[in-house]
Amino acid sequence: DFGDPAKRYALQIALEILTRKKTEHGFTNEHMERGIAQEPIAMALYEDMFFSKVKNGGFFCYGTYGDSPDGLIGNNGVLEFKSVIASTHYGTLKRGSYDPAYRWQLMGHLDCTGRDWVDFASYCSDFPEDKQLIVYRVYRNDCVNDIEKLRERRSEFLELVQKTLTELKE
């Protein structure tokens, strides 16, 4: 079964399908707004760190679902930025890996883009300059089982959206 947040999201999608317009009340908070404001800074640091140009991530559409990564690197990479508070950044640094809260988002990037790897980039301006941006790379070949689990769960979620849409039409 899905939890309440997934059920609310399924309702939002069903309403958007039914009314053919985007819902007016999306979710946002101060952390999301900070992330939007600081993403260009993190992107510039990333480009300097890896001597790579980051292209706009765009949107990868697959009919009933899609994905919009923060950036594309060359022909093989995808990028996800997170501008976080100090305690979250420190946890990621200590863990030595990406923040597990974003696991399925990263798997979605790999699945939808078809790219070979995704870089998870955590940014926090409160840290000393040499530790403001930390990056962990995840390879598609190491995530085959997770990508398959995501595809199964996505299919189940789309069934929930359809069920919700049917209930709204009754």
Side-chain angles (χ1 to χ4, degrees), residues 6 14 22-24 44 47 63 73 118 120 133 151 169:
K22 182 117 176 84
T23 55
E24 293 182 28
E47 289 178 334
I73 314 298
V118 58
F120 174 84
L133 184 72
R151 289 175 180 167
K169 289 180 177 180

Side-chain angles (χ1 to χ4, degrees), residues 30-74:
E30 67 185 91
H31 300 297
M32 293 172 72
E33 291 170 11
R34 183 188 64 247
I36 292 167
Q38 293 183 348
E39 187 174 300
I41 298 165
M43 188 177 299
L45 287 173
Y46 181 93
E47 289 178 334
D48 288 347
M49 182 183 285
F50 290 97
F51 305 104
S52 297
K53 179 70 177 149
V54 177
K55 294 181 195 168
N56 183 302
F59 185 76
F60 292 78
C61 182
Y62 290 90
T64 55
Y65 65 95
D67 185 65
S68 60
D70 290 330
L72 301 176
I73 314 298

Side-chain angles (χ1 to χ4, degrees), residues 126-145:
D126 295 334
F127 272 67
E129 281 187 26
D130 67 329
K131 296 216 183 331
Q132 286 181 350
L133 184 72
I134 51 178
V135 179
Y136 298 106
R137 183 163 290 179
V138 180
Y139 291 94
R140 168 185 285 286
N141 290 342
D142 297 333
C143 303
V144 174
N145 290 337

Side-chain angles (χ1 to χ4, degrees), residues 63-155:
T64 55
Y65 65 95
D67 185 65
S68 60
D70 290 330
L72 301 176
I73 314 298
N75 294 322
N76 301 317
V78 63
L79 183 59
E80 182 60 37
F81 286 112
K82 297 298 177 190
S83 179
V84 297
I85 60 174
S87 59
T88 302
H89 192 70
Y90 183 68
T92 298
L93 185 65
K94 294 293 285 180
R95 185 181 315 101
S97 179
Y98 65 89
D99 186 330
Y102 303 108
R103 172 182 174 199
W104 297 112
Q105 183 179 21
L106 300 176
M107 296 305 110
H109 290 337
L110 290 171
D111 184 32
C112 291
T113 66
R115 295 198 167 217
D116 297 333
W117 51 266
V118 58
D119 275 351
F120 174 84
S122 178
Y123 174 76
C124 182
S125 60
D126 295 334
F127 272 67
E129 281 187 26
D130 67 329
K131 296 216 183 331
Q132 286 181 350
L133 184 72
I134 51 178
V135 179
Y136 298 106
R137 183 163 290 179
V138 180
Y139 291 94
R140 168 185 285 286
N141 290 342
D142 297 333
C143 303
V144 174
N145 290 337
D146 281 345
I147 292 170
E148 188 55 38
K149 285 179 192 173
L150 174 66
R151 289 175 180 167
E152 291 171 15
R153 194 68 169 154
R154 183 189 296 128
S155 177

